[in-house]
Amino acid sequence: MSATHNILVVDDDSMMRLLASQALDASGYEVTEAGGGKEALDCVARKKPHLILLDVTMPDFDGFAVCRALREMDDTKNIPVIMLTALDDVKSIGRAYEAGATDFIIKPINWHILVQRVNYVLRASEAFSALRTSQSRLEHAQRIAHLGHWEWDIERDLIQGSDEAYRIFGIEPGTPLDSARVSNTIPAEDVERIAGGMRQLIKHGVSFSLEHRVQHSNGEYRVVQQQAEVFAFTGARAKQIIGTVRDITVEKQTEEHIRRLAFFDSLTGLPNRRMFQERLTNALALAGRREKQIAVLFLDLDRFKRINDTLGHAIGDAFLAEIAARLKTLMRRSDTVASNSEDREEDLIARLGGDEFTVLLTDFKHTLDAAKVAQRILSEIQRPVVINGREVISGVSIGIALYPEDGRDVDTIIKNADTAMFHAKSSGRGRYQYYSAEMNASAVAKLALESDLRHAIARSEFLLHYQPKLDLATNRIVSVEALVRWQHPKRGLVQPGEFIELAEETGMIMELGAYVITQACLQFKQWQAMGIDLESIAVNLSPVQFRRDDLVEHIAEILDSTGVPPNRLELEITEGAVMHNEEKSIETMKRLKALGISLSMDDFGVGYSSLSHLTRFPIDRLKIDQSFISDLPQNQEKAAVVRAIVAMAHSLNLATVAEGVETAEQERFMKAVGCDQFQGYFLSRPIPAQELKALIEKFHKLPAPSSFARNLVVG
Ligand code: C2E
Ligand code: CA
Ligand code: CA
């Protein structure tokens, strides 16, 4: 050992001190001597020795006391101490170790052995101290790296961790741990994943690396990465598992930040071009599989360059940020696009750059919805923006491209939306334009129609025409069907085919439907007063009306207020309306029937159901769709179908009505196959109410050219 090692020799016997010093000095050690316990502690305090030779029996402080005192102080607790004891003193040896001695040597001392022992203890001590240093370095390094390690003894369910592991899990270092205590720190959503990984590891020895969250008792979440592998097996099963845990919260936050930089526009906070393209790509893939529609709106601010040039870039930027905020609010409103599909992707609005924005609409119901969104954007952006107390006004031009009509890939769709935007600009700005010309024309017309329709009820522009139905057995006009018309101020009389669907889409059908039933009932009463007592008045019920919850009460109220007995009202319902929710439909129909109202299945044959399926519904009558009648009797197939429908309907106790009978042959055919009633141009077109009386009288007087007119009786 080198001369730099300092040995403190403590003994009250000066002879012993001298001999020890000589032996050690001869081996190159530097020696300090102390004559008692107290002096020894003073010496240590002055200069820390590398090793202490300590006599047990001393008058003031004995060796045990000195040793204990050394072990209590951080500074001296690791100094190796060799105790010098008497041969017969076995007890002392035990006490020496208890007091913290490193080793002992028995008197009388063999000085040669003493030196060897000192050499050995010093070497061991140095090895220990190196290990301690490296351990503390490791811990330090782990703390810097936010890396902890742990061991899990599976059989005893005992987990030991490094201080950093404890810190990461938010548990006081040194707390005894089992698997349940550790699981408690993992949020419920993550637990099963970790448990699954552990099971694989224990059963099959598959190491894992998983990311999950940890929640500290103060509620704070950390993201950690766990890696684990088997350390020891009993047979095939894992007995001990070791793992590392790393706190990666900050990395995750950085990642998110980088993602934001890559996918979002820093001025407006909106998604950027890259994100838009990515989302459009996904939306296209999804739409392709589900046959859904997609629209891309391409927005370009009008005259933005002038704002920038005249007011400066700072105002230009503030203006863009405000526009972005308005667009965001607009798109967040759930009513922008009507859709009830659950797996609908979020609509997206992005800034492509400069004053260009794009909007992605996925899975909307009607092509026209894109125009409606465009219209809202137009009016939203036209409102002045106030910046630093001054009003800045711009407009926007919008191009609309649709998938699949206007393109099937990202680039084509964006390019075509851009082209459409360019057209919007060149035809006057502050407007929207569909890419396809037909789409554009029809959208413009339809939107105009919609806005007109909103005023039509208030302006009393609706009126009813009535089409009579003839009973084939008695040749009597027994009923009329009310059919609505719209007296448009500019376009004249508009047929229901042009506006019923729109009224349904917009919900206006509710008001319109109520109007039709009320008018028809009032008219029925008026005819009665004139002596025309029809068996019934038939009214068409839209599926939207049929589904309203208070339908039965609503109709009962109309019947009550108009004084029409319920058994004189016939409601015509389509298959589509009742198939929607069969149980509920049957319930509604039963309640209508309980009132006394009779029910017809309208347009039968074009729908979905088989006749036998229809028996589930409490209906009275089938109206055979006019598409089956139109090429009768020449079309053999249709003739056979109609024959079968009538026969089967009768076997199910349902009456039949043929729609759209236009010729005498068709009338004869229907009579021949046993159909109960018919309606159609051959008898009469739908006519205004005041013409019904004359019509009935005309048929009544006329020498009949056809079978029905011959015996015409009006009841
Ligand atoms: P629908 O219930 O099937 O009405 C029969 C349609 O066929 C009527 O058309 C009628 O004018 C037409 N029609 C009658 N006889 C003949 C014929 O011999 N040949 C041909 N080619 N056509 C004939 P309209 O009045 O244009 O009504 C169309 C549809 O609009 C109706 O079909 C009905 O679904 C709906 N609708 C009409 N009024 C109302 C209403 O007040 N409420 C509801 N919800 N829907 C209505
Ligand atoms: Ca009808
Ligand atoms: Ca019909």
Side-chain angles (χ1 to χ4, degrees), residues 464 467 481-485 495-497 500 504 509 512-513 516-517 539-543 545 572 574 602-603 623 625-626 659-662 666 679-682 684-686:
L464 296 182
Q467 187 177 38
E481 176 179 0
L483 293 158
V484 70
R485 267 89 186 106
Q495 298 299 310
I500 289 289
E504 287 175 338
I509 192 71
L512 175 58
V516 169
I517 301 175
V539 174
N540 291 286
L541 203 63
S542 148
Q545 277 174 287
E572 299 192 0
T574 56
D602 208 350
D603 305 341
K623 295 191 74 176
D625 190 72
Q626 58 190 53
E659 289 183 329
V661 171
E662 294 184 348
Q666 287 168 355
Q679 91 190 76
Y681 294 169
F682 181 58
S684 167
R685 286 179 177 263

Side-chain angles (χ1 to χ4, degrees), residues 44 47 87 132 153 205 274 292 317 328 335 342 367 377 388 401 414 420 423 454 504 516 623 631 639 666 687 702:
V44 170
K47 186 180 184 202
L87 174 63
R132 264 195 309 274
D153 181 332
R274 206 169 129 199
K292 295 268 167 66
D317 283 358
K328 266 190 255 183
D335 65 349
E342 283 145 28
T367 305
I377 293 174
N388 298 340
I414 295 181
H423 283 300
R454 287 190 192 280
E504 287 175 338
V516 169
K623 295 191 74 176
D631 34 0
Q666 287 168 355
I687 50 170
L702 228 87

Side-chain angles (χ1 to χ4, degrees), residues 241-299:
I241 287 177
I242 60 163
T244 59
V245 54
R246 203 158 68 84
D247 187 331
I248 54 171
T249 313
V250 176
E251 273 130 294
K252 283 277 148 186
Q253 283 162 352
T254 314
E255 238 170 62
E256 173 60 22
H257 184 67
I258 290 169
R259 203 184 70 84
R260 285 201 73 81
L261 287 181
F263 285 103
F264 290 83
D265 165 49
S266 56
L267 174 64
T268 61
L270 289 177
N272 63 13
R273 177 190 294 269
R274 206 169 129 199
M275 172 131 169
F276 187 81
Q277 285 172 327
E278 209 159 282
R279 285 282 301 277
L280 180 56
T281 308
N282 292 344
L284 286 173
L286 220 64
R289 279 202 298 278
R290 303 197 183 143
E291 297 182 9
K292 295 268 167 66
Q293 253 191 327
I294 286 176
V296 167
L297 277 58
F298 197 108
L299 284 61

Side-chain angles (χ1 to χ4, degrees), residues 118 143 167 268-269 285 287 294 384 411 431 470 527 578 610 628 637 652 710:
V118 166
R143 199 157 51 240
R167 261 192 293 277
T268 61
I294 286 176
D411 291 343
R431 53 170 64 211
L470 187 101
W527 279 324
V578 301
S610 65
F628 290 94
E637 272 170 42
L652 294 166
R710 242 190 321 273

Side-chain angles (χ1 to χ4, degrees), residues 88-159:
D88 49 7
D89 197 359
V90 179
K91 249 202 188 144
S92 300
I93 295 169
R95 283 186 69 195
Y97 279 122
E98 271 165 36
T102 314
D103 205 349
F104 64 94
I105 198 157
I106 297 164
K107 289 179 179 174
I109 291 165
N110 174 328
W111 299 109
H112 184 66
I113 289 181
L114 174 78
V115 171
Q116 290 307 323
R117 189 68 63 87
V118 166
N119 286 346
Y120 171 76
V121 169
L122 270 175
R123 251 200 319 271
S125 152
E126 266 167 7
F128 270 124
S129 120
L131 185 64
R132 264 195 309 274
T133 315
S134 93
Q135 218 159 31
S136 93
R137 274 205 198 112
L138 179 67
E139 262 175 36
H140 192 71
Q142 289 193 348
R143 199 157 51 240
I144 293 171
H146 304 291
L147 179 75
H149 62 266
W150 49 265
E151 292 165 32
W152 180 26
D153 181 332
I154 298 174
E155 276 153 24
R156 286 155 54 206
D157 193 13
L158 197 71
I159 297 174

